[in-house]
Amino acid sequence: MSIAPHTTLAALADRYDAFFIDQFGVLRDDDGAYPGANAALLRLKSLGKTVVILSNSGRSGDYNGDRLVKLGFDRSGFDHFLTSGDVAHHILAQETGEKADVTRCLTISSGGDRNLAERLGFESVEDAALADIVIISGSEAERIPLSTYRDRLRPAAERGIPCYCTNPDRHKLVKGGGTAPGAGSIALAYEALGGPVRWFGKPHPAIYKQAQSLLGNIAADRIVCIGDSIEHDIAGAAGAGLASCLVRTGILAATPESALAPVCETHGARPDFLMERFTV
């Protein structure tokens, strides 16, 4: 028995005015753009829809938007690109803006990214024993074992240093197919070591609140969230009171439809619709 009725992009466009669309697993994977994804975004825009790419990326929306364009996507295919990194910066800038002392920050990321720490004016350090805060924005667990991350973070966690996880995804898609532990798994390891973690991004509510603030007067019942993760996209939409559609690409592509119900039970949310892939 299916967990939700199957639908098409045309049917969703008939029903909704704004689309919150996940990036990895819906539009692209680590190898590149999914066939038809760019055309689907352009179709929505041609129909007058508001499109927000909503991503659990620790990097900024501007960076991610530029990266999509380099993969062959048209910039005219989306109105906004909002990331968990943007939301973290928005909130933390307000909270830390009046502090006079320099904050020393250890960032765990992919590709050497230190963008959030730099935007907040933090001093970057490599030694967890010197850190005042920890930012976990990405993972390279496809080549670095989780045990190595745990050993590196232990001195900060045991001192109770606060950690900000700006990408709560526990798994990431990797080149050639398959998955590896994501930034969320590293943050969970930090918690297990005794360190406090503050989470930003889907399924947490702040990213949906900020995304809705970009829409003007579009009512909540005219918004649909499209994603590949029940844990993040579908549960996040449910928590925000928004409709959702699960695409069968991405993180759950190898999971048969008959096995999706237990995943929904685990995370306490079911999609309103299923779609084979994000395409016209």
Side-chain angles (χ1 to χ4, degrees):
M1 182 178 178
S2 179
I3 59 169
H6 284 257
T7 191
T8 64
L9 189 65
L12 292 178
D14 284 341
R15 186 165 181 170
Y16 298 102
D17 298 319
F19 288 72
F20 292 168
I21 302 172
D22 184 38
Q23 176 184 196
F24 277 94
V26 177
L27 302 178
R28 58 166 297 193
D29 59 18
D30 214 37
D31 291 314
Y34 286 153
N38 182 54
L41 291 176
L42 292 173
R43 175 62 63 86
L44 289 176
K45 288 307 303 168
S46 73
L47 296 172
K49 307 303 179 181
T50 300
V51 176
V52 181
I53 311 298
L54 204 60
S55 175
N56 274 357
S57 170
R59 299 177 190 253
S60 70
D62 288 342
Y63 173 90
N64 278 274
D66 289 343
R67 188 165 59 170
L68 273 191
V69 171
K70 289 177 182 177
L71 288 175
F73 285 86
D74 287 87
R75 183 59 187 83
S76 59
F78 53 96
D79 297 280
H80 307 281
F81 201 127
L82 180 66
T83 69
S84 46
D86 291 329
V87 176
H89 176 261
H90 176 75
I91 293 173
L92 296 177
Q94 293 177 329
E95 296 179 356
T96 63
E98 297 180 359
K99 292 184 179 180
D101 296 336
V102 174
T103 299
R104 296 171 298 182
C105 176
L106 169 63
T107 299
I108 302 296
S109 64
S110 61
D113 172 48
R114 303 288 184 272
N115 180 260
L116 180 57
E118 291 168 357
R119 285 197 287 168
L120 291 170
F122 295 162
E123 175 188 343
S124 290
V125 298
E126 297 298 320
D127 187 349
L130 300 177
D132 300 312
I133 68 165
V134 172
I135 291 173
I136 300 177
S137 63
S139 163
E140 294 179 332
E142 67 274 22
R143 65 177 188 87
I144 300 174
L146 276 178
S147 59
T148 300
Y149 282 116
R150 282 193 291 268
D151 290 342
R152 186 180 182 193
L153 290 168
R154 190 183 306 275
E158 290 182 345
R159 290 187 296 123
I161 296 301
C163 169
Y164 303 128
C165 180
T166 62
N167 183 344
D169 289 355
R170 292 191 299 116
H171 306 286
K172 58 181 285 190
L173 299 171
V174 296
K175 286 186 180 296
T179 63
S185 290
I186 301 172
L188 288 172
Y190 191 85
E191 280 188 332
L193 290 168
V197 176
R198 185 172 175 186
W199 301 84
F200 295 92
K202 300 174 289 186
H204 306 285
I207 192 169
Y208 293 94
K209 181 178 179 180
Q210 192 161 331
Q212 286 180 266
S213 74
L214 301 172
L215 300 181
N217 295 321
I218 298 177
D221 64 358
R222 301 293 295 179
I223 304 168
V224 63
C225 305
I226 301 177
D228 68 315
S229 168
I230 292 171
E231 179 180 4
H232 298 105
D233 303 302
I234 305 308
L242 304 176
S244 65
C245 177
L246 179 72
V247 294
R248 300 295 289 122
T249 51
I251 204 74
L252 294 172
T255 303
E257 191 169 327
S258 59
L260 292 177
V263 183
C264 292
E265 291 297 323
T266 296
H267 300 294
R270 284 178 177 255
D272 295 285
F273 308 99
L274 292 174
M275 192 160 57
E276 289 304 312
R277 60 176 54 249
F278 183 72
T279 190
V280 175

